[in-house]
Amino acid sequence: MSEKGYLASVITPFHNTDLGYFEKALDSVVNQTAGIENVEWVITVHNSEDSYLQGVREMTKDYESICVYELHNDVRSASSPRNYALDRAHGKYVFFLDSDDRLTPECIRDVTDKMEATAAPMAKFRSEEEREDDDVVEFVDHRARFDQTKDLIILKKGDHAVKDIMTIANMTPWCQAFRRDFLEEHHMRYDERLHFGEDGMFTITAMKYADTVIVLPQTIGYVYFINHDSTLQQMGAPTPESILQMSNNLSMQMDAGIHAGLDMRYIFWVYAHDIAGMILGSPQMTAEQK
């Protein structure tokens, strides 16, 4: 337990999320088998309208372990509210939950039990998706790349199988947990300069420092809800400027991974495919820009 007695802190950025979706996230946290009294939920309501802040506070007022903060700034990504919450977290372990997604009931208990048993600073578990309807687009490949007949896989730095972590799904913060003292020791926070790939950069930094990473192929701990209000669904047609910014940000991520000694080949081809598709499909780009 932490100095405040919390087994885990759940970090959630909130930006004008439909309160009906948020209610499902709330239910998933307070009904954790680890016990809500052992789980600190740190929510940062970021650049949101007052009605949303009031709604979140009203819905969570009965839980002493839920902390709601308000933040307004010029950062237009989840990096800033996540960092703000991390600075105020007290749990021994850290999980990340988006405000319209859910944790499965056993998630925190199952993952922290394995981390306790192995003393691992970092854990990877599986997620699944739930779509609002057939019109929303799937952006993340959730297929597991590890042997699902195994309950626990322990990877040491330099193991060949570490390369299988470097996928889009495994680079997201959703399906990971960290020891908080590990994050603090290495001063780990999200890079607020990045508009794209900040999740991946955080994961790469963690992989750089972690001597051990555990993978839980049988543990589905997270439900990723894809709805029409999701950020990726609202991106629209990319502009030449946004494509250039994305390319630069993902290039920084690739460089960081290579310098950390990670095998970035698989994820490179995913990024290259996506950016090439945007370039070829952008009606605003001139031939010279392409």
Side-chain angles (χ1 to χ4, degrees):
M1 294 288 185
S2 71
E3 65 272 19
K4 285 200 173 184
Y6 293 120
L7 174 66
S9 293
V10 178
I11 303 299
T12 294
F14 181 106
H15 175 70
N16 291 342
T17 301
D18 182 294
L19 294 177
Y21 300 154
F22 176 73
E23 184 175 17
K24 294 180 179 180
L26 172 62
D27 288 343
S28 80
V29 174
V30 301
N31 290 310
Q32 285 294 304
T33 58
I36 185 58
E37 69 277 5
N38 298 315
V39 177
E40 175 189 52
W41 193 11
V42 190
I43 304 166
T44 308
V45 181
H46 182 227
N47 292 343
S48 294
E49 299 169 12
D50 287 343
S51 60
Y52 288 99
L53 175 64
Q54 294 166 7
V56 171
R57 284 182 169 160
E58 177 64 26
M59 294 168 70
T60 60
K61 66 181 182 180
D62 294 332
Y63 302 97
E64 292 184 5
S65 62
I66 299 180
C67 306
V68 179
Y69 297 98
E70 181 181 12
L71 176 65
H72 291 276
N73 58 26
D74 294 330
V75 179
R76 295 293 180 263
S77 76
S79 294
S80 177
R82 284 179 180 145
N83 288 341
Y84 194 87
L86 280 170
D87 289 342
R88 289 154 179 80
H90 301 94
K92 182 174 182 179
Y93 297 98
V94 171
F95 291 74
F96 294 95
L97 171 67
D98 283 354
S99 54
D100 54 356
D101 295 340
R102 305 194 308 276
L103 298 176
T104 59
E106 302 282 346
C107 176
I108 291 175
R109 173 56 65 197
D110 283 354
V111 175
T112 57
D113 279 352
K114 297 292 195 309
M115 295 181 78
E116 286 281 304
T118 58
M122 182 177 179
K124 296 275 188 179
F125 49 92
R126 289 172 57 194
S127 61
E128 61 182 14
E129 71 175 36
E130 177 184 318
R131 294 197 293 171
E132 183 178 16
D133 55 46
D134 292 338
D135 292 330
V136 294
V137 180
E138 178 186 0
F139 285 90
V140 177
D141 183 352
H142 293 270
R143 288 176 296 181
R145 293 177 63 84
F146 291 91
D147 184 354
Q148 294 177 50
T149 66
K150 296 182 179 180
D151 180 49
L152 170 68
I153 298 173
I154 301 175
L155 300 177
K156 297 292 185 180
K157 184 171 288 187
D159 285 355
H160 180 69
V162 168
K163 67 179 176 50
D164 291 325
I165 290 177
M166 311 312 292
T167 69
I168 295 294
N170 280 315
M171 300 286 272
T172 66
W174 322 317
C175 51
Q176 305 184 90
F178 304 89
R179 265 202 343 258
R180 188 171 61 84
D181 63 358
F182 167 75
L183 299 182
E184 297 306 316
E185 177 186 356
H186 299 290
H187 311 289
M188 280 190 55
R189 292 297 185 266
Y190 287 85
D191 191 334
E192 297 181 16
R193 300 169 301 169
L194 302 182
H195 294 269
F196 302 97
E198 70 278 5
D199 296 345
M201 187 68 84
F202 188 88
T203 299
I204 286 169
T205 305
M207 297 285 292
K208 174 182 177 181
Y209 293 119
D211 291 327
T212 303
V213 180
I214 61 171
V215 180
L216 311 176
Q218 296 179 1
T219 300
I220 298 176
Y222 196 96
V223 180
Y224 172 52
F225 181 55
I226 312 175
N227 61 81
H228 291 278
D229 294 329
S230 299
T231 301
L232 289 174
Q233 302 297 318
Q234 299 188 40
M235 285 182 64
T239 64
E241 292 75 20
S242 69
I243 294 173
L244 178 61
Q245 187 175 57
M246 180 179 290
S247 299
N248 287 336
N249 287 177
L250 296 181
S251 177
M252 291 172 61
Q253 187 184 119
M254 293 297 303
D255 286 343
I258 292 169
H259 290 149
L262 301 174
D263 187 338
M264 302 294 290
R265 286 174 293 181
Y266 176 81
I267 203 164
F268 168 79
W269 288 114
V270 174
Y271 287 161
H273 171 271
D274 291 347
I275 292 173
M278 293 178 189
I279 292 172
L280 295 173
S282 173
Q284 302 177 48
M285 295 193 78
T286 65
E288 182 178 2
Q289 288 173 325
K290 291 180 180 180

